[in-house]
Amino acid sequence: MEWPRAVIFDVDGTLVDSERDGHRVAFNAAFADLGLGYEWSVEEYGPLLKVTGGKERLTHHLRSVGHQADDLGALVRDLHERKNEHFLQLVRAREIPARTGVARFIDDVEASGVTLAVATTGSREWVEPLVDSLFGLARFAVVVCGDDVSNKKPDPEVYLIALQRLGLDATQAVAIEDSVMGLRAAQGAGLTCVVVPNDYTASDDLSGADLLVGAFEELGPAALAALQDKTG
Ligand code: XBP
Ligand code: MG
């Protein structure tokens, strides 16, 4: 397959259905560990996803509720470490599922000789075990995480690093995303971007996507190749 040379996958909401019953549950368990009395419902967590990065999301929430702390940064780091440990327990218990159809799509893309990569805001400490348990980490030539960037999505930095490590320019790869923040990051890096929305992101303004599909079952190597003609 001549084009694309690589497909770069987002993680949360794209490779995995990880937010509603995963990160959100883990954040709530971390709040409970410290007896803070906060609990994010399924409904209120959706808008919070517009703040990318777990630590940034915690900081945003604590400031928005006027939480008084001597050292807010230390509290956020403690909560986020606890959250990631709770999330890793869910990963080990295989409670975080792959999105429907994505494993087959990965198989088909890989069988076409296309290089696989990951570009996520998530923390490496859980990204690697989760991707390994569901798909096999070694299949991904490059894995760039939130730890590796100064600016998280919608900043394009994570995708620019992925392209640099792949040794490709933006015209040679395609990004697969679930959200408007991810779409902006990918297109900000000059990438063609396919969006497969989910329950939390279906209401995002995804009109700028180079291809918008309702499910991974609608996506295959041929659909990707056809994008080259469209985007030139
Ligand atoms: C989604 C995010 C992440 C996760 C939580 O990442 O914004 O912050 O919600 O993970 P993406 P961390 O869609 O780019 O994969 O707490 O590890 O940040
Ligand atoms: Mg995502």
Side-chain angles (χ1 to χ4, degrees):
M1 192 168 172
E2 289 304 310
W3 189 91
R5 296 275 303 281
V7 173
I8 308 172
F9 289 90
D10 165 53
V11 173
D12 290 297
T14 302
L15 283 180
V16 292
D17 188 1
S18 55
E19 293 289 2
R20 191 192 67 184
D21 300 331
H23 291 299
R24 181 186 67 88
V25 170
F27 278 115
N28 287 337
F31 290 140
D33 286 350
L34 299 186
L36 295 182
Y38 301 127
E39 184 164 355
W40 288 340
S41 68
V42 172
E43 292 71 30
E44 66 189 316
Y45 189 63
L48 284 167
L49 284 171
K50 292 288 184 291
V51 181
T52 59
K55 288 193 287 291
E56 293 79 356
R57 192 168 306 140
L58 285 165
T59 303
H60 165 80
H61 173 73
L62 293 172
R63 285 181 176 152
S64 69
V65 297
H67 185 90
Q68 295 304 309
D70 295 339
D71 184 342
L72 189 67
L75 174 59
V76 165
R77 283 190 298 276
D78 184 9
L79 281 167
H80 194 244
E81 283 165 20
R82 291 170 183 272
K83 183 281 276 186
N84 278 351
E85 190 44 50
H86 285 296
F87 189 75
L88 273 168
Q89 286 170 18
L90 294 172
V91 170
R92 294 184 194 111
R94 304 188 71 81
E95 297 279 331
I96 309 296
R99 263 196 78 176
T100 306
V102 76
R104 170 67 187 276
F105 176 66
I106 290 172
D107 291 348
D108 290 349
V109 164
E110 187 180 46
S112 305
V114 176
T115 299
L116 305 176
V118 162
T120 174
T121 301
S123 307
R124 190 174 294 277
E125 75 173 293
W126 63 260
V127 168
E128 291 195 342
L130 180 54
V131 170
D132 196 33
S133 69
L134 292 178
F135 309 106
L137 185 63
R139 297 170 71 188
F140 296 83
V142 166
V143 177
V144 187
C145 296
D147 321 55
D148 305 319
V149 297
S150 307
N151 304 296
K152 295 186 177 172
K153 297 176 185 177
D155 189 285
E157 187 181 355
V158 68
Y159 279 108
L160 293 171
I161 293 172
L163 287 167
Q164 182 190 28
R165 290 185 186 172
L166 285 164
L168 296 176
D169 69 51
T171 62
Q172 295 173 294
V174 172
I176 314 289
E177 272 284 354
D178 71 305
S179 69
V180 66
M181 294 297 172
L183 172 62
R184 287 183 190 152
Q187 292 186 331
L191 284 161
T192 299
C193 185
V194 177
V195 179
V196 193
N198 54 55
D199 292 349
Y200 271 134
T201 64
S203 59
D204 284 8
D205 176 8
L206 302 169
S207 56
D210 295 290
L211 178 62
L212 189 59
V213 292
F216 275 100
E217 287 83 349
E218 300 167 37
L219 199 55
L224 287 186
L227 275 176
Q228 184 177 21
D229 311 331
K230 184 181 168 193
T231 54

